[in-house]
Amino acid sequence: MAGKRDKPEEIVLKLRQVEVLQGQGSSVADAVRQIGVTQQTYYRWRKEYGGM
C-alpha cells in the first residue's frame, strides 16, 4: 500500500515549520517528529525544496 504524497507547496510549508520549531529551541529530531515525517525525508526535502 502506497503512502500519502505531499504536494510541493505542503512540503515547503513543513520545511518552514521545522525552521520555526528549531528557532524556538527544538532539536531537529523533535521538530521533524512534530510535522510527521522521518529525518531522512526531511533532509531529502530540504535538499530538493530548500531554495524555494
Side-chain angles (χ1 to χ4, degrees):
M1 188 161 119
K4 177 186 165 240
R5 296 237 177 208
D6 290 310
K7 296 178 182 169
E9 301 86 27
E10 295 170 342
I11 292 171
V12 172
L13 288 174
K14 287 183 178 184
L15 290 174
R16 286 186 188 147
Q17 187 176 359
V18 170
E19 289 177 11
V20 169
L21 290 169
Q22 283 183 303
Q24 294 173 348
S26 295
S27 67
V28 174
D30 291 335
V32 169
R33 196 175 308 121
Q34 286 184 9
I35 65 167
V37 297
T38 63
Q39 283 188 8
Q40 181 178 3
T41 301
Y42 166 71
Y43 287 117
R44 183 169 24 93
W45 284 354
R46 194 174 77 171
K47 180 180 169 186
E48 189 172 343
Y49 298 100
M52 294 185 162

